[in-house]
Amino acid sequence: MRILIVTSQFPIAGEPNRGRPVYQTVRELSRLAQVKVLSPIATYPRWAQPRSYLYRAADQGHVAPGCDVDYLTYPALPAVSRPFNGHLCAQALSRPVRAFAPDVVLAYWLYPDGYGAMRAARVAGVPFVAGARGSDLRVRDAISRRLTQPVVRAAQRLLVVSEDLGRVAVDRYGADPERIRAIPNGCDAALFHPGDRRAAREALGLPQDDEIILYVGRLVPEKGLRELLHATRRLAATRPGVRVVFVGDGPMQAELAAALIAEPALPLQLAGSQAPAQVAQWMVASDLVTLPSYSEGHPNVLVEALACGRPMVATPVGGIPEVVDVASGVLVPARDADALADALVQALDRDWDEATLALRFSRDWQQVARETLLACEEAVAGTRTARAAYAADSA
């Protein structure tokens, strides 16, 4: 089968961990089918760079190991071009889609990527499958919501990373429940597994006796990082050996760095963006991992933390309760900094069985790829059946 993947959520120059779950899926899917990736990246004039995230321009020569990927560009303006970005994306995709001649088009990220892929697939006369990651279904602006709806309804199969996201697709966008397939993320057990905490701390230059709380992800307010900063201040007053480490980068990096300058005694460490192997080492070195997000799909950091035998303190949003329960962590209401601080103390004071936590999740990326391929095969078979039925009715 020839599968064309369309997604901007893919590693790019300067951001090698971008879209890592999609990349892991595509790399394994490439072992099962002939897969081509088209990664459409919006480009902005120098005088109109977006401020809402760390913008990275596309490098068309960038290589993603194990994947055949071409990076495409289309012009955009922050906010102004949003209603048209799907159409601009479709124009950029039109020629390379025809050149690859796929059996099916699969898009990860619903708007504008999925919208452009939907239009390109329609012109090419091939079935269209959409993959939702979380934030693309829980979009906040009315324009993106309106333009996401036709993508969700047109997809012959809608792949979601949690059962919760499937319910969102049905309730908010009118998706057909029969077309939805929940395919949770996997985990690379070769990297994420229990290890020697003392050795990991020594390698990272961390004190052996500190209580280390780890956050891994984008540095954005929606991840609950201001609440985590507040909780850090509270913990510092009661637990002298606590240290909160942020692994990742994003728009809040300057704000967090400023907090450290203003409060030199704040037990906060900014470790920057790290490769997956280093993320695993940080997890092994930690006492617990936290993710106090306002909204999530099926965050991979939870799966990886559990695979390393580390408990979680997280919020019960999106698909998080499908991964974290009382046996593997503490769930705390979103946007409640004091409750977060109390939950972190509760988790630090509790004895956790590392081996038991690590056994809770054994799903790998090969299984994710097999389920993804099956969904694509269902879409192709359904299209063939529909065409045959139409031909019979027309005869």
Side-chain angles (χ1 to χ4, degrees), residues 208-226:
Q208 294 293 340
D209 296 330
D210 274 10
E211 295 179 309
I212 296 175
I213 298 168
L214 181 68
Y215 167 83
V216 179
R218 295 186 64 232
L219 304 184
V220 292
E222 294 79 9
K223 296 292 186 181
L225 299 193
R226 291 197 175 107

Side-chain angles (χ1 to χ4, degrees), residues 24 196 237 274 291 294 336 340 347 355 362 371:
Q24 296 273 26
D196 186 330
Q274 302 282 333
L291 185 65
Y294 303 164
D336 190 332
L340 175 61
S362 59
E371 293 173 13

Side-chain angles (χ1 to χ4, degrees), residues 316-371:
V317 299
I320 289 178
E322 298 173 28
V323 182
V324 180
D325 58 20
V326 294
S328 59
V330 180
L331 293 176
V332 60
R335 304 175 188 265
D336 190 332
D338 289 329
L340 175 61
D342 292 340
L344 291 170
V345 169
Q346 180 184 343
L348 287 171
D349 287 342
R350 179 174 164 185
D351 289 328
W352 300 93
D353 188 325
E354 178 181 289
T356 300
L357 290 175
L359 290 174
R360 288 179 60 88
F361 201 91
S362 59
R363 180 180 175 82
D364 59 24
W365 291 107
Q366 290 86 353
Q367 185 174 349
V368 175
R370 288 193 294 269
E371 293 173 13

Side-chain angles (χ1 to χ4, degrees), residues 249-274:
D249 60 16
M252 273 192 67
Q253 187 161 349
E255 180 178 333
L256 293 169
L260 269 175
I261 293 172
E263 305 172 66
L266 193 65
L268 185 154
Q269 179 175 341
L270 300 178
S273 182
Q274 302 282 333

Side-chain angles (χ1 to χ4, degrees), residues 25-324:
T25 301
V26 172
R27 189 173 62 177
E28 294 303 325
L29 190 60
S30 297
R31 305 177 193 272
L32 306 175
Q34 189 170 349
V35 179
K36 174 79 174 182
V37 179
L38 298 178
S39 187
I41 308 295
T43 59
Y44 300 87
R46 185 168 298 177
W47 49 268
Q49 298 294 307
R51 297 180 180 179
S52 58
Y53 64 97
L54 289 179
Y55 171 66
R56 299 278 202 283
D59 177 358
Q60 295 178 329
H62 184 71
V63 175
C67 299
D68 178 9
V69 55
D70 288 341
Y71 293 89
L72 313 176
T73 61
Y74 62 91
L77 289 171
V80 175
S81 69
R82 185 177 300 154
F84 315 107
N85 284 350
H87 297 277
L88 295 168
C89 180
Q91 291 176 2
L93 292 170
S94 178
R95 183 176 296 177
V97 169
R98 290 198 307 270
F100 183 68
D103 296 306
V104 61
V105 173
L106 165 58
Y108 289 106
W109 204 257
L110 299 175
Y111 187 83
D113 309 10
Y115 190 95
M118 173 190 71
R119 290 173 61 90
R122 189 174 295 159
V123 170
V126 297
F128 168 64
V129 176
R133 307 305 300 171
S135 299
D136 50 348
L137 269 177
R138 293 191 173 91
V139 289
R140 289 173 292 279
D141 65 280
I143 292 173
S144 294
R145 281 199 302 270
R146 188 177 74 248
L147 294 171
T148 294
Q149 186 176 63
V151 179
V152 170
R153 293 185 175 184
Q156 278 91 338
R157 290 295 181 272
L158 178 65
L159 314 184
V160 293
V161 291
S162 67
E163 298 289 349
D164 174 76
L165 270 187
R167 291 188 288 270
V168 171
V170 173
D171 295 343
R172 298 186 190 176
Y173 297 91
D176 181 353
E178 297 298 319
R179 295 184 176 187
I180 295 175
R181 299 291 181 269
I183 304 179
N185 289 331
C187 181
D188 185 352
L191 291 178
F192 296 94
H193 53 77
D196 186 330
R197 177 181 283 153
R198 178 169 291 275
R201 290 191 175 192
E202 184 176 347
L204 294 168
L206 298 172
Q208 294 293 340
D209 296 330
D210 274 10
E211 295 179 309
I212 296 175
I213 298 168
L214 181 68
Y215 167 83
V216 179
R218 295 186 64 232
L219 304 184
V220 292
E222 294 79 9
K223 296 292 186 181
L225 299 193
R226 291 197 175 107
E227 288 81 359
L228 183 55
L229 182 58
H230 173 86
T232 302
R233 292 189 176 103
R234 268 197 54 188
L235 290 172
T238 58
R239 302 180 82 97
V242 78
R243 177 189 298 242
V244 181
V245 179
F246 292 75
V247 171
D249 60 16
M252 273 192 67
Q253 187 161 349
E255 180 178 333
L256 293 169
L260 269 175
I261 293 172
E263 305 172 66
L266 193 65
L268 185 154
Q269 179 175 341
L270 300 178
S273 182
Q274 302 282 333
Q278 280 66 55
V279 170
Q281 189 174 47
W282 276 104
M283 287 181 172
V284 170
S286 72
D287 290 280
L288 64 86
V289 179
T290 187
L291 185 65
S293 295
Y294 303 164
S295 174
E296 285 290 348
H298 185 276
N300 225 47
V301 63
L302 303 186
V303 173
E304 293 168 348
L306 290 175
C308 291
R310 296 296 173 259
M312 293 294 310
V313 172
T315 48
V317 299
I320 289 178
E322 298 173 28
V323 182
V324 180

